[in-house]
Amino acid sequence: MNIIGKRWTIHILLELHKGEKKEKRFNELKRKLGSITPKILSERLTELEAEGMIMKNIDESTNPPKSEYYLTESGRDFVKIIQGIKRWGLKWKFQNEECEKAICKYCDV
Amino acid sequence: MNIIGKRWTIHILLELHKGEKKEKRFNELKRKLGSITPKILSERLTELEAEGMIMKNIDESTNPPKSEYYLTESGRDFVKIIQGIKRWGLKWKFQNEECEKAICKYCDV
């Protein structure tokens, strides 16, 4: 379970959680996460998949086939924990009531 | 906020949460936590107090005066996050439904 503490893991889980669209493509994640390298992104996605926190769909209709990633129930449950830590931090460490109440599905902070 | 990741911190917060009695004395914590050294326990308690997660009462009626520690609201909020992580682990990693539903205030696992 060391994957949770590794750099970029929490950002990837939150990025998959954000917005209306459940599935996200590799390049979409890469663009949104900015400075992450393709190698690290690929590694983290493989590790998260092995932990059962995300799943991968392969869209065969495109050439080359495209992979789409999405949170499993376990992944969605873990995002709730991350949100709990965020709310705790905002309430007790940063005193940011407005952000504390925001739904980070739509937040680009 | 590095205190959270330091060894023994989570155990100390959970120990202060356990049982009916809200306040706990240094030696009581030391006995319950077993292999922790007095030096490390004292360090962690000082750090947790500085973060506002615990408070210290000094009982002047005894000689020498005795310190008692207890969780603040921030500390109690953080224990809820730790319990959330525990439930997530038990549900998705260890499949231990019985333990998942237990109230760890009374659990000695």
Side-chain angles (χ1 to χ4, degrees), chain B residues 9-30:
Chain B
T9 299
I10 303 269
H11 298 83
I12 292 168
L13 289 170
L14 283 178
E15 207 49 56
L16 286 168
H17 160 75
K18 277 188 184 174
E20 295 308 327
K21 213 160 76 82
K22 236 178 61 161
E23 296 87 6
K24 297 228 168 66
R25 290 198 172 164
F26 187 92
N27 286 336
E28 210 175 332
L29 290 169
K30 172 76 190 73

Side-chain angles (χ1 to χ4, degrees), chain B residues 8 15 27-38 41:
Chain B
W8 293 107
E15 207 49 56
N27 286 336
E28 210 175 332
L29 290 169
K30 172 76 190 73
R31 206 174 48 248
K32 285 269 184 169
L33 293 166
S35 59
I36 193 171
T37 64
L41 177 55

Side-chain angles (χ1 to χ4, degrees), chain A residues 88 93, chain B residues 1-10 12-13 40-41 43-53 78:
Chain A
W88 183 85
K93 292 292 139 199
Chain B
M1 266 306 293
N2 302 332
I3 169 80
I4 300 293
K6 286 189 178 177
R7 193 163 176 234
W8 293 107
T9 299
I10 303 269
I12 292 168
L13 289 170
I40 295 292
L41 177 55
E43 259 176 46
R44 293 292 179 275
L45 290 171
T46 306
E47 288 165 323
L48 284 168
E49 202 180 345
E51 287 291 342
M53 296 174 79
F78 202 83

Side-chain angles (χ1 to χ4, degrees), chain A residues 1 51 53 73-74 77-78 81 84-85 88 91-93, chain B residues 1 51 53 73-74 77-78 81 84-85 88 91-93:
Chain A
M1 269 305 295
E51 288 290 342
M53 295 174 80
E73 195 192 342
S74 151
D77 272 4
F78 202 83
I81 290 172
I85 294 171
W88 183 85
K91 180 176 175 187
W92 296 105
K93 292 292 139 199
Chain B
M1 266 306 293
E51 287 291 342
M53 296 174 79
E73 195 191 341
S74 153
D77 272 2
F78 202 83
I81 290 171
I85 295 170
W88 182 84
K91 180 176 176 186
W92 296 105
K93 292 293 141 195

Side-chain angles (χ1 to χ4, degrees), chain A residues 28-94:
Chain A
E28 208 175 333
L29 289 169
K30 172 76 189 73
R31 204 174 50 247
K32 285 270 185 170
L33 292 166
S35 59
I36 192 171
T37 64
K39 178 177 174 286
I40 295 292
L41 177 55
S42 175
E43 257 175 47
R44 293 292 179 276
L45 290 170
T46 307
E47 287 165 323
L48 283 166
E49 204 180 346
E51 288 290 342
M53 295 174 80
I54 67 171
M55 294 241 322
K56 180 164 78 170
N57 267 341
I58 299 182
D59 181 354
E60 306 276 356
S61 67
T62 58
N63 191 0
K66 297 251 180 201
S67 307
E68 287 190 324
Y69 298 90
Y70 59 95
L71 292 170
T72 60
E73 195 192 342
S74 151
R76 286 194 299 276
D77 272 4
F78 202 83
V79 164
K80 285 180 198 142
I81 290 172
I82 299 169
Q83 292 172 318
I85 294 171
K86 181 202 105 174
R87 273 193 305 274
W88 183 85
L90 290 167
K91 180 176 175 187
W92 296 105
K93 292 292 139 199
F94 312 110

Side-chain angles (χ1 to χ4, degrees), chain B residues 18 99 106-109:
Chain B
K18 277 188 184 174
C99 204
Y106 308 110
C107 161
D108 276 324
V109 164

